Amino acid sequence: MLIVNTCGFIEPAREESLATLQDLAETLTPSQRLIAAGCWAQRDPELLLEAIPQLDAVIGTRSWHQIVPLVERLLASPAQPLRTLAAGAMALPEAVGAPGYALSGASAFLKIADGCSRRCAFCAIPLIKGDAVSRPIPAILEDARALQAQGVLELNLIAQDTTHYGHDLGMKEGLATLLEQLVAAVPDIPWIRVLYAFPGYITARLIDVLAAHPQLLPYVDIPLQHAHPAVLRRMNRPADLGWVRRTVATLRERLPGVALRTTFIVGFPGETDEEFETLLDFVEELAFDRVGAFIYSAEPGTAAAALPDDIPLEVKEARREALMVAQQAISLRANLALVGQRLPVLLEGAGDGLTVGRTYRDAPEIDGLVLIGGEHACNRLATVEIIDATVYDLFGELV
Ligand code: SF4
C-alpha cells in the first residue's frame, strides 16, 4: 500500500507531490495500491484522479481518519480498485480516537488546533482546512502525558495559528492557559516549543507565561510575511509594525537568549522596489535569528489570485536572493556569538563518525543543526561546547 501525503499549499509543493505520485505510478506492481492523501487531495481530488489514472483512492485532510477503513476496503477487493473522494468536515483526533501527535525519536509535534479563521489574501489553507477548530485542553494534556511516558524530551505545539488557540472554545488567552496547564501536566518534558504565532496576538500574559516556566523554550516564531504596511494591507495581514518592534524588544528583554524566527513572502502583486527595500531595511533592523523567504505564487481561489501577478519571476527570485543574503550575515553573527558557550543539545542521530543534534534555538526540520564529532548515544539531552559556526549550523564537542 503506497500512500503519498500530498501538499497543496503552493505550486512547488504541488509539483513535488505530483512527481512523487507519477514516479510511484510508473513502477506500481499488480499487488500494490496507490493512494493520494493530504491537502492537495482535499483541494483537487478530480484533478489528481485525471492526472494519475493508476490512483486507487484519493482521501483529503478532512477525512484523514478514514484511512484505515479505506485501506481495508482496497485490500479486500484487489481486483476492483476503489476511488474514494475526499469529503466531510474536519475531524479532530479525539473525535475519532486517534492521537494528535507525530513522534520522531525524542521529539514530537503535538497538534493543538487545525484550520485557520484568518483570511490572508495569498493563503489557500482556509480553503483546504476550513476555520480553526481547537482541541479541548484535556485531550491535549492526555496526548502530552502519553508522550512523556514514552520518554519524549521535546514537544512542539503546532496549529496554523497557535495564538488563536481556544477562541472557538470561548477562551480568552487560550494559549497562555494551555501552556500553564501543560507545564504542570508534563514536568518531565524539558523542552516545550510553540510554533506559528500570529502578529499582534502575542499578549503580555503569554509573554509572562513564557518567561515564568523554564520548560517553555525561549523560541518565538512570528511569520510576518512582509514589513511594508501597504503590502501587509494588500495581504490582509496586520500592518502595525510598531507592534512588531515593541514585541520583539519585549521578547528580547523578558526571554534572555530568545531565538526569533520569521518568514516573508517576496513578489506579492504590486510589490514595488521601494516596498521591497523597506522589507530589506526591516530585516537588517530587527536582526531575527532565523528567516525563511518564499516567492509569491497565485493560489487559485484566494483573494490575491484576483490581482495581477505582475512581478516577473526573475525579479521575485532576485528579491528572495537579496533577502536571504542580507539575513545570512545576521544569522552567522548570531551563531558565531554562541562559540565558546556550553548549551544543552538534543542528540538525534549518529553515523559516519558524527552525531547531529539541536539546541533550543533550532526547531526540528526548519532550523539548523549542531554537528558533533564521534558517534554518541542519541535521544537524550547532552551538554555541548560550541566550537565553530556557519550561517545555519553549529559545530560542538560533547562536554
Ligand atoms: S494565518 Fe497562516 S494559515 Fe491562516 S490564512 Fe494567514 S497565512 Fe494562511
Side-chain angles (χ1 to χ4, degrees):
M1 192 65 59
L2 304 171
I3 303 173
V4 177
N5 196 21
T6 63
C7 178
F9 181 39
I10 50 175
E11 183 66 36
R14 286 196 295 276
E15 282 167 6
E16 196 180 322
S17 299
L18 188 63
T20 305
L21 283 165
Q22 279 167 337
D23 285 351
L24 290 173
E26 277 166 22
T27 56
L28 216 54
T29 65
S31 63
Q32 286 178 324
R33 296 285 168 267
L34 182 58
I35 302 178
C39 286
W40 195 21
Q42 178 71 42
R43 195 174 172 193
D44 276 327
E46 299 294 352
L47 185 149
L48 281 171
L49 285 168
E50 215 170 282
I52 318 271
Q54 299 94 326
L55 266 182
D56 292 286
V58 178
I59 181 163
T61 36
R62 299 191 196 190
S63 315
W64 62 272
H65 54 293
Q66 292 168 15
I67 190 79
V68 173
L70 175 63
V71 167
E72 284 169 353
R73 283 166 68 195
L74 286 173
L75 290 173
S77 34
Q80 278 188 318
L82 282 170
R83 292 189 170 180
T84 304
L85 292 185
M90 179 66 75
L92 287 176
E94 48 280 6
V96 294
Y101 56 78
L103 183 59
S104 171
S107 176
F109 288 100
L110 176 56
K111 185 177 283 194
I112 64 170
D114 213 346
C116 187
S117 299
R118 312 212 189 267
R119 292 295 181 265
C120 303
F122 52 81
C123 182
I125 284 179
L127 302 172
I128 298 169
K129 295 212 161 203
D131 282 340
V133 188
S134 300
R135 302 183 63 199
I137 288 182
I140 298 170
L141 299 187
E142 192 183 322
D143 275 353
R145 287 193 190 99
L147 290 166
Q148 177 177 256
Q150 293 175 65
V152 159
L153 298 171
E154 179 187 40
L155 269 189
N156 298 283
L157 305 188
I158 52 167
Q160 270 68 38
D161 169 10
T162 50
T163 46
H164 189 270
Y165 175 76
H167 283 218
D168 53 307
L169 302 176
M171 298 166 75
K172 281 191 183 142
E173 302 276 2
L175 181 59
T177 303
L178 170 67
L179 289 175
E180 283 182 318
Q181 296 195 29
L182 195 56
V183 293
V186 288
D188 296 337
I189 298 184
W191 283 9
I192 299 175
R193 184 192 308 276
V194 180
L195 294 169
Y196 319 131
F198 197 74
Y201 292 81
I202 298 174
T203 63
R205 166 134 190 258
L206 180 57
I207 296 174
D208 285 345
V209 171
L210 290 172
H213 300 281
Q215 279 168 279
L216 302 176
L217 294 180
Y219 178 101
V220 181
D221 170 30
I222 323 172
L224 293 169
Q225 312 304 3
H226 212 279
H228 193 289
V231 181
L232 286 165
R233 279 193 284 273
R234 292 203 297 281
M235 287 179 162
N236 197 25
R237 302 268 305 178
D240 182 357
L241 293 157
W243 178 89
V244 178
R245 289 185 168 93
R246 287 192 302 278
T247 303
V248 164
T250 307
L251 289 169
R252 286 185 165 143
E253 186 192 321
R254 299 287 312 283
L255 309 177
V258 67
L260 296 173
R261 176 182 179 82
T262 190
T263 50
F264 295 111
I265 293 173
V266 297
F268 189 77
E271 184 191 55
T272 63
D273 287 342
E274 185 219 323
E275 288 167 342
F276 176 67
E277 288 298 326
T278 303
L279 171 57
L280 266 189
D281 291 347
F282 183 84
V283 165
E284 301 274 4
E285 177 197 336
L286 274 280
F288 291 96
D289 298 87
R290 316 265 181 258
V291 168
F294 298 92
I295 283 175
Y296 170 78
S297 63
E299 295 306 315
T302 61
L307 303 170
D309 188 4
D310 54 357
I311 311 295
L313 182 60
E314 57 273 21
V315 174
K316 290 176 178 170
E317 284 172 345
R319 287 178 181 173
R320 181 180 181 280
E321 180 67 17
L323 185 61
M324 291 316 289
V325 167
Q327 178 59 35
Q328 279 163 3
I330 297 165
S331 294
L332 181 60
R333 253 195 336 263
N335 276 355
L336 285 172
L338 300 174
V339 173
Q341 290 191 29
R342 292 181 170 193
L343 297 171
V345 170
L346 181 57
L347 304 182
E348 297 194 291
D352 295 331
L354 275 181
T355 301
V356 292
R358 286 179 291 109
T359 72
Y360 73 91
R361 298 171 58 80
D362 296 296
E365 296 178 23
I366 47 173
D367 292 328
L369 297 171
V370 185
L371 306 172
I372 301 153
E375 296 181 17
H376 305 284
C378 290
N379 298 327
R380 66 188 173 105
L381 283 166
T383 303
V384 171
E385 179 162 334
I386 306 304
I387 56 170
D388 204 354
T390 64
V391 169
Y392 299 111
D393 299 321
L394 300 169
F395 297 89
E397 279 173 354
L398 220 55
V399 174

